[in-house]
Amino acid sequence: MGVWQWSQTAADNDDADGAINMRENQAPSTYNNAVRALMAMVKKWFDDISGNLATAGTDTAITIATNTTGVTLTDGVFVRARITTTNGAAATLNVDAGGAKALQGKSGTALPAGALVAGMIAHFTYDSSADAW
């Protein structure tokens, strides 16, 4: 589970992540473990959006493995990664083996070959209406 799956309603997060026990009336001895687990999750998420990830795969089938693992394709979820291979035409992105999705530019058209250059840090945001990054 990742930060993107937590609720904006505080009461809904008491059992949102099995690794983070923040339930009512929890034993005081479990609280410090819960806080450390929360800190670890936030750090993983930070690393996923900071540009510390690196792409893998090919020039047309780009992959990213996140630290939080299991990114759910919900509108607006994003990652940043260092590009390792300049992209080819009709490239796709597959994050955490969740399924390859087309890479599109701002206009909703396929990202042209060479738009992602090896060495650059790219920001990818999922758009559920286009089912694309």
Side-chain angles (χ1 to χ4, degrees):
M1 174 162 295
V3 172
W4 61 89
Q5 294 167 299
W6 295 352
S7 175
Q8 291 183 1
T9 304
D12 292 344
N13 288 320
D14 66 339
D15 61 352
D17 192 316
I20 303 170
N21 176 12
M22 293 289 198
R23 291 171 185 83
E24 294 295 325
N25 302 313
Q26 74 183 67
S29 61
T30 66
Y31 185 73
N32 57 347
N33 291 338
V35 171
R36 284 194 292 268
L38 177 64
M39 292 170 71
M41 180 56 71
V42 171
K43 176 61 173 147
K44 288 177 184 180
W45 176 71
F46 173 80
D47 287 344
D48 289 347
I49 66 169
S50 67
N52 287 329
L53 301 175
T55 61
T58 67
D59 65 333
T60 57
I62 300 166
T63 62
I64 296 175
T66 66
N67 294 290
T68 49
T69 66
V71 168
T72 302
L73 293 178
T74 55
D75 199 44
V77 69
F78 66 95
V79 296
R80 285 190 187 102
R82 184 170 307 279
I83 303 302
T84 56
T85 303
T86 300
N87 74 293
T92 61
L93 176 63
N94 191 343
V95 177
D96 290 340
K101 303 295 179 182
L103 284 173
Q104 296 183 346
K106 290 181 182 180
S107 63
T109 58
L111 198 65
L116 302 174
V117 179
M120 73 181 283
I121 294 176
H123 177 103
F124 301 98
T125 302
Y126 182 72
D127 179 353
S128 61
S129 63
D131 194 26
W133 292 94

